[in-house]
Amino acid sequence: MTTSDATGMESRELQEQFDAIIARNDRIEPRDWMPEGYRKTLVRQVAQHAHSEIIGMQPEGNWITRAPSLRRKAILLAKVQDEAGHGLYLYSACETLGASRGELTQKLLDGTQKYSSIFNYPTLSYADVGTIGWLVDGAAICNQVPLCRTSFGPYGRAMIRICKEESFHQRQGYELLMTMMRGTDEQRAMVQESVDRFWWPALMMFGPPDAESPNTAQSMAWGIKRNTNDDLRQRFVDMTVPQAEALGVTLPDPDLRWNDERGAHDFGQPDWDDFMQVVKGNGPCNAQRIAHRRKAHDDGAWVREAATAFAARTSEVAG
Ligand code: FAQ
């Protein structure tokens, strides 16, 4: 039942039904009544997630023409195409909440909706393809596996497939880095330099510290988020440290060490002022990413127009 179907039913009763579904960890489906704040929060998060997948094609896409072998090129092409698919599943999930893809794309282009900070950093060497797979997809998996149990059905179901593909992405990145680490001193130095640049931005992907996260408490109460930003960041660090050791790279954090009492790693804080600058649009590549997306959108106008004309013509003939 949609909000507009609420006539005749006490809004308190609808709220109670919604609360009961959330309390038993069941799914809210698009036709169920939902509080407006729940719908808005989901549109914000899912749209931001979809935009991230689409903008996230750019940093790695930058290396497709320069991949060092046919095999690496085929892998990279497949990975970048997967990200496009993820964006489309997520835009579809968002459409079930009443937000059209055209409207969401417009909000990305005019800066009223965000995308992940991580994609505003440049990819300067081929090792960055491996590092993005290992650290960025690794962080994405940490964040997204719990989202498979998010309370909104279409989002949770999209996440299941996305996580399977992200898992392949993470392994291909790790395998690429492992191959380079078994190569020359120059290749090992490339990997280390790349990890040095991406480590802190990867930690920022989980969002601001819990104490400064305005949305976490309500999103957790609604079952949209299942863990806090700091919990997931900790999980990512604990998962990544042994992988870095196996690779033979150093994570660029002098405060990183195992804490026996906590049974977890202590680690330093990213530069949160830098994070805020990137989120506000002042990162190294924000302008370039949006300009590129805008050009792709404009270049694709004729396809949208042709599809719309074809659909109108088909319904005219059928009607
Ligand atoms: N970047 O109150 P919170 C990927 C904003 S997909 C930019 O903690 P929330 C796959 C936040 O929107 C990566 N902005 O917010 C791939 C809010 O601003 P608003 C994307 C950020 O929503 C791999 C404000 O700060 N993943 O990588 C960021 O409860 C390789 C306050 O923050 C998702 O979107 C940030 N990092 O928690 C693709 C996962 N962090 O909107 C290609 C789903 C926070 O109030 C290649 N999203 N902000 O104006 C989430 O889990 C959550 O939305 C968080 C943020 C955890 C990102």
Side-chain angles (χ1 to χ4, degrees):
M1 184 182 295
T2 61
T3 317
S4 56
D5 293 327
T7 33
M9 223 178 172
E10 285 296 319
S11 62
R12 194 167 52 82
E13 203 179 322
L14 289 167
Q15 179 73 50
E16 280 168 9
Q17 278 176 9
F18 172 86
D19 292 344
I21 295 173
I22 298 293
R24 59 174 191 268
N25 276 328
D26 216 339
R27 302 274 206 200
I28 301 291
E29 295 298 339
R31 287 186 192 161
D32 292 334
W33 181 89
M34 60 188 81
E36 192 48 24
Y38 177 85
R39 196 188 72 81
K40 273 197 177 143
T41 299
L42 270 169
V43 170
R44 178 184 62 78
Q45 177 167 325
V46 181
Q48 173 170 323
H49 195 164
H51 299 327
S52 303
E53 301 281 358
I54 299 297
I55 296 284
M57 295 167 73
Q58 293 185 37
E60 288 169 287
N62 178 36
W63 282 92
I64 290 172
T65 53
R66 290 171 290 163
S69 68
L70 183 60
R71 177 172 171 266
R72 291 289 173 200
K73 187 171 181 140
I75 294 171
L76 186 53
L77 263 174
K79 183 197 189 277
V80 173
Q81 282 178 354
D82 282 353
E83 309 299 0
H86 299 174
L88 298 189
Y89 309 152
L90 291 164
Y91 284 128
S92 299
C94 231
E95 286 191 315
T96 71
L97 291 156
S100 79
R101 191 166 139 202
E103 184 189 314
L104 299 174
T105 302
Q106 205 43 56
K107 287 187 170 162
L108 167 70
L109 295 179
D110 67 24
T112 48
Q113 279 179 349
K114 299 183 167 78
Y115 59 90
S116 181
S117 49
I118 189 74
F119 302 117
N120 291 308
Y121 295 88
T123 41
L124 302 177
S125 82
Y126 189 71
D128 289 356
V129 170
T131 307
I132 289 179
W134 175 40
L135 295 180
V136 176
D137 285 279
I141 293 167
C142 252
N143 170 266
Q144 292 171 23
V145 166
L147 290 176
C148 296
R149 293 180 290 105
T150 191
S151 57
F152 186 58
Y155 189 28
R157 288 188 287 275
M159 290 318 307
I160 293 170
R161 179 156 178 187
I162 291 175
C163 284
K164 287 186 180 154
E165 293 178 351
E166 299 291 24
S167 173
F168 155 73
H169 296 169
Q170 200 252 1
R171 293 180 77 94
Q172 70 80 35
Y174 195 70
E175 190 268 345
L176 192 163
L177 295 183
M178 192 57 102
T179 305
M180 289 184 79
M181 291 303 284
R182 291 198 192 109
T184 62
D185 284 348
E186 211 180 351
Q187 285 174 309
R188 277 187 284 279
M190 272 171 79
V191 173
Q192 184 62 59
E193 189 274 335
S194 171
V195 169
D196 288 347
R197 273 185 291 111
F198 273 96
W199 174 248
W200 295 110
L203 291 190
M204 293 172 187
M205 285 175 71
F206 297 92
D210 292 351
E212 282 143 50
S213 162
N215 301 300
T216 293
Q218 181 61 73
S219 288
M220 299 254 312
W222 275 328
I224 295 174
K225 282 167 83 165
R226 294 293 182 188
N227 302 85
T228 72
N229 300 355
D230 286 336
D231 281 352
L232 293 173
R233 199 172 358 256
Q234 178 75 58
R235 198 178 284 186
F236 173 69
V237 171
D238 291 337
M239 176 185 99
T240 308
V241 168
Q243 295 173 356
E245 278 164 15
L247 261 183
V249 295
T250 308
L251 297 174
D253 178 358
D255 298 326
L256 183 63
R257 62 183 60 85
W258 178 253
N259 181 326
D260 241 343
E261 263 171 47
R262 292 202 306 120
H265 291 87
D266 291 337
F267 57 97
Q269 284 297 306
D271 181 343
W272 292 115
D273 293 336
D274 183 50
F275 168 76
M276 282 319 296
Q277 282 305 317
V278 175
V279 170
K280 280 187 198 149
N282 304 323
C285 297
N286 295 62
Q288 179 190 331
R289 299 292 185 236
I290 289 296
H292 190 86
R293 180 69 193 89
R294 183 171 287 121
K295 181 174 183 320
H297 188 66
D298 292 347
D299 289 350
W302 70 271
V303 180
R304 292 189 299 279
E305 281 158 20
T308 310
F310 181 73
R313 179 90 186 104
T314 313
S315 70
E316 227 176 79
V317 171

